[in-house]
Amino acid sequence: MSETAVAPPTHFIRQIVAADLAAGKHERLVTRFPPEPNGYLHIGHAKSIALNFGLAQDFQGQCNLRFDDTNPNKENPEFVAAIQADVQWLGYDWGERVFFASDYFEQLYAFALELIDKELAYVCDLNAEQTRSYRGTLTEPGRDSPYRERSVAENRDLFARMRAGEFEDGTRTLRARIDMASPNINLRDPVLYRIKRGVIHHQTGAAWCLYPTYDFTHPLSDALEGVTHSLCTLEFEDHRPLYDWCIEHVSVPTRPRQIEFSRLNLEYAVMSKRILTRLVADGLVAGWDDPRMPTLAGLRRRGYTPAAIRDFCTRIGVTKADNRVEMGLLESAIRDDLDASAPRAMVVLRPLKVVLENWPNERLDTLEAPRHPKNSDLGTRPLPFGRELWIDRQDFAEQPPKGFKRLVPGGEVRLRNAYVIRCEELIRDASGALIELRASVDFNTLGRNPEGRKVKGVIHWVAASAAVEAEVRLYDRLFQTPTPGAGGEGGGGDIIADLNPDSLVVLSGCKAEASLGSAQPGERFQFEREGYFTVDPDSTEPSLVFNRTVTLRDTWGKQVAAQDSKRQTAR
Ligand code: ATP
Ligand code: MG
């Protein structure tokens, strides 16, 4: 493939695919994305989706969506539906080609009989523990099962009776007859079928009480679908000989090739579905779509765009090197996207009233501001401006620290998109707490510099009479350590103890500019000076709920989170 400016970045799998196609090995590239419907998809899956669907797009091939549904106890139709919605949301299309491994149960059963007939599979009566002890270790070979030499007729009979539900769970398995002394433990007569009676499968109902294992199902499903390149994560490298063994010894129509790449690990996040399931089940997050979750549903609710996630997947690339990607990389992908696309708005998160004493009581002007500093196609927004305004408490300091450029007693500041004001007086309640500022406006400063002096600071504001009430949810990283659960030296840490106590701070009574009154769930904005935010589906008129997607700059570890959480507890 010739490299052009628009060519997607190359990587070893793309090179293999290009070479195979150039050599005429296949007419057409066929890949698949094979999720198990036992949870929601996460950002790690996005890497696999972008790779499989992306290659199919780039080479005019096709990518199948195949549910790997051989473990009915943990799977359910909610996950099937959520996975389809998430893949579509990411921007990929499987057309008609959505499949379930369970579609092939009958064919897989026939393949198993074929192996029995070739004396390459047998019914084994060892239970799970015995099977383990016969298996040997990395340094010692295994021992043959006493049931290994059963006749074809006996194996056929027992296998049929396993299917008929005559035997209890765990009492018998079907095993491949390969080599108990193989240095690769996966080849020591691996289990192909196990009995699971009494479970209702979400696709096949009560039709089966015998379920094939992943190692048997996956290669044969790939072959039945005509998959040419079966891309999976590195932990399956040791399973590849078994993958190839299944393809070789069963009469399948095509010969797929397994290629492994490294999985995505992300700092301050976990990808294990087991742990994500636990977070949801134990109520440690609000659900699979909690905006702190690394799930696609969570990222969507957080305000991430499909384009940013695809861009992130391109940036991390595809290699065989195990690594952990910095959270900052994901955050910068969404910042870059939203900086270019998100309309600007002003929202005061911690309101402090300012009364402009020289502004006429009833006068309410309408100023105008661009919706986007660089993209004039987005037009302008009207900004009501009156005698009473809200500013952020953090933009005023009675005793300013060194270098503080915002409002101070007797000092001036520019209100963004409006005038310069001067703080004239502090109003306190009976306990002495500051409740309001009195200020004066310089009428000659709309759109121009004040005369004879420089005013450095610029702050955002909202006109009190036109403000829209909002709740703002400040989301941060779910975990406070880059490798959650890893523990200190020696490992063995408790992942729950690594949760970030400040991962959510809810601010109520926030004041949004009037133009946000009609904002709809899913719309995204830059709140000037604060970050990127999206309207949460919890929003109901007239009160809006916004989720913080990401701060404007990488402030992780700096004071911001700590300050917000102190304020929250003080409320
Ligand atoms: P878990 O171990 O948490 O249950 P899984 O890998 O079993 O995750 P599946 O639903 O079986 O989850 O994954 C579907 C596909 O997505 C597989 O091909 C798998 O290799 C890939 N995948 C899963 N997690 C990642 C990840 N972190 N990075 C890249 N690919 C991944
Ligand atoms: Mg899996």
Side-chain angles (χ1 to χ4, degrees):
M1 207 179 58
S2 72
E3 294 284 340
T4 68
V6 291
T10 194
H11 49 68
F12 77 101
I13 297 181
R14 183 181 296 280
Q15 287 162 353
I16 292 173
V17 168
D20 284 353
L21 291 174
K25 267 199 192 172
H26 317 282
E27 239 161 70
R28 195 169 178 219
L29 172 69
V30 182
T31 56
R32 86 291 169 261
F33 171 64
E36 179 176 1
N38 61 350
Y40 279 58
L41 296 181
H42 53 60
I43 184 80
H45 292 116
K47 174 176 180 176
S48 176
I49 295 168
L51 175 62
N52 281 293
F53 280 94
L55 283 172
Q57 269 174 3
D58 297 342
F59 288 96
Q60 283 93 48
Q62 69 195 26
C63 180
N64 300 344
L65 175 62
R66 184 199 318 138
F67 289 96
D68 163 27
D69 57 346
T70 54
N71 239 327
N73 320 49
K74 290 184 180 168
E75 301 165 1
N76 74 48
E78 176 200 343
F79 296 141
V80 171
I83 288 170
Q84 301 201 28
D86 286 346
V87 175
Q88 271 168 336
W89 176 74
L90 256 195
Y92 297 106
D93 180 15
W94 55 85
E96 307 283 286
R97 304 187 61 84
V98 54
F99 303 116
F100 292 82
S102 56
D103 295 342
Y104 312 130
F105 279 174
E106 201 59 61
Q107 279 155 295
L108 294 171
Y109 186 81
F111 288 145
L113 290 178
E114 183 183 344
L115 289 178
I116 289 175
D117 291 345
K118 291 178 174 168
E119 298 188 346
L120 290 173
Y122 61 97
V123 172
C124 181
D125 300 0
L126 297 180
N127 63 28
E129 206 192 308
Q130 292 165 328
T131 306
R132 237 188 326 273
S133 80
Y134 272 76
R135 192 177 292 137
T137 65
L138 286 174
T139 49
E140 280 172 45
R143 284 174 294 140
D144 285 359
S145 160
Y147 307 98
R148 203 170 195 261
E149 303 305 326
R150 272 180 167 149
S151 69
V152 169
E154 191 183 1
N155 279 321
R156 268 193 165 258
D157 173 61
L158 285 172
F159 193 46
R161 288 166 60 195
M162 282 167 68
R163 177 174 182 173
E166 282 187 34
F167 309 119
E168 279 182 40
D169 291 16
T171 56
R172 285 191 163 87
T173 55
L174 184 77
R175 296 175 67 179
R177 197 158 171 273
I178 309 180
D179 179 6
M180 287 306 292
S182 170
N184 183 339
I185 291 187
N186 294 301
L187 294 180
R188 295 185 188 168
D189 292 10
V191 171
L192 306 181
Y193 272 89
R194 54 238 189 295
I195 300 169
K196 287 175 195 276
R197 296 198 306 187
V199 284
I200 299 298
H201 188 286
H202 51 101
Q203 302 300 318
T204 56
W208 292 87
C209 63
L210 194 58
Y211 288 93
T213 54
Y214 175 90
D215 280 331
F216 184 62
T217 309
H218 208 80
L220 302 177
S221 304
D222 283 345
L224 288 171
E225 289 176 13
V227 167
T228 56
H229 297 78
S230 180
L231 314 179
C232 64
T233 38
L234 277 182
E235 68 273 21
F236 291 104
E237 195 161 18
D238 288 347
H239 296 239
R240 190 180 347 124
L242 179 53
Y243 183 101
D244 291 339
W245 185 92
C246 291
I247 300 290
E248 195 167 319
H249 292 97
V250 169
S251 320
V252 285
T254 65
R255 293 187 143 254
R257 167 176 178 190
Q258 174 177 307
I259 304 170
E260 308 85 17
F261 63 96
S262 63
R263 60 171 48 228
L264 167 66
N265 299 303
L266 195 58
E267 286 185 343
Y268 300 97
V270 296
M271 298 296 167
S272 152
K273 273 190 271 184
R274 188 177 52 80
I275 294 170
L276 297 178
T277 303
R278 176 171 169 206
L279 294 175
V280 173
D282 293 356
L284 295 165
V285 294
W288 284 99
D289 70 343
D290 185 301
R292 291 166 294 182
M293 290 281 272
T295 52
L296 296 182
L299 289 166
R300 172 166 63 236
R301 191 161 179 183
R302 176 90 169 234
Y304 273 76
T305 60
I309 295 174
R310 291 194 306 263
D311 180 33
F312 168 73
C313 292
T314 304
R315 292 185 194 187
I316 56 176
V318 178
T319 68
K320 269 186 179 290
D322 250 326
N323 63 353
R324 194 169 271 267
V325 172
E326 282 177 33
M327 184 62 110
L329 202 61
L330 179 60
E331 292 173 345
S332 71
I334 187 64
R335 274 192 200 102
D336 289 353
D337 185 1
L338 294 180
D339 179 39
S341 63
R344 273 44 172 175
M346 293 195 287
V347 177
V348 173
L349 299 187
R350 311 117 186 133
L352 173 63
K353 176 75 70 73
V354 177
V355 178
L356 302 176
E357 292 183 304
N358 60 341
W359 188 275
N361 251 329
E362 301 306 321
R363 178 172 163 189
L364 189 67
D365 284 5
T366 303
L367 310 178
E368 242 186 29
R371 285 192 196 276
H372 195 281
K374 290 178 220 139
N375 182 356
S376 55
D377 291 351
L378 292 182
T380 61
R381 65 204 211 250
L383 284 179
F385 187 96
R387 182 177 160 90
E388 296 197 352
L389 309 172
W390 298 109
I391 66 166
D392 197 293
R393 279 187 177 264
Q394 288 185 352
D395 286 334
F396 173 77
E398 226 179 314
Q399 268 121 22
K402 210 162 164 264
F404 189 82
K405 292 207 194 75
R406 294 160 277 163
L407 198 58
V408 299
E412 284 186 299
V413 78
R414 173 169 290 280
L415 299 176
R416 190 160 174 79
N417 301 307
Y419 301 89
V420 170
I421 62 168
R422 176 191 304 278
C423 175
E424 308 286 2
E425 194 187 345
L426 281 58
I427 309 292
R428 301 173 192 280
D429 67 10
S431 74
L434 178 67
I435 51 170
E436 185 179 305
L437 299 177
R438 296 294 164 96
S440 58
V441 57
D442 181 341
F443 287 92
N444 288 319
T445 53
L446 186 61
R448 58 182 141 123
N449 288 327
E451 301 216 345
R453 61 201 196 278
K454 275 215 162 95
V455 174
K456 280 198 183 144
V458 182
I459 65 174
H460 60 283
W461 55 276
V462 167
S465 66
V468 181
E469 288 286 313
E471 173 181 309
V472 174
R473 301 174 182 172
L474 301 178
Y475 288 106
D476 213 322
R477 298 172 184 188
L478 183 54
F479 291 95
Q480 54 189 340
T481 51
T483 52
E489 267 176 59
D494 173 13
I495 199 152
I496 303 304
D498 287 341
L499 284 167
N500 172 12
D502 297 322
S503 63
L504 171 59
V505 173
V506 179
L507 302 177
S508 52
C510 304
K511 312 290 182 186
E513 70 170 64
S515 76
L516 289 179
S518 56
Q520 296 300 309
E523 272 191 80
R524 303 177 181 90
F525 300 91
Q526 184 195 97
F527 291 178
E528 301 195 48
R529 304 182 57 239
E530 293 287 358
Y532 295 97
F533 292 79
T534 187
V535 184
D536 190 85
D538 281 350
S539 277
T540 46
E541 293 216 33
S543 186
L544 290 165
V545 178
F546 289 99
N547 299 331
R548 182 170 69 195
T549 310
V550 68
T551 52
L552 288 180
R553 280 168 295 279
D554 188 356
T555 51
W556 174 253
K558 321 253 159 67
Q559 295 124 332
V560 182
Q563 283 173 6
D564 280 327
S565 78
K566 270 193 213 106
R567 204 162 296 107
Q568 178 71 6
T569 22
R571 257 163 206 271

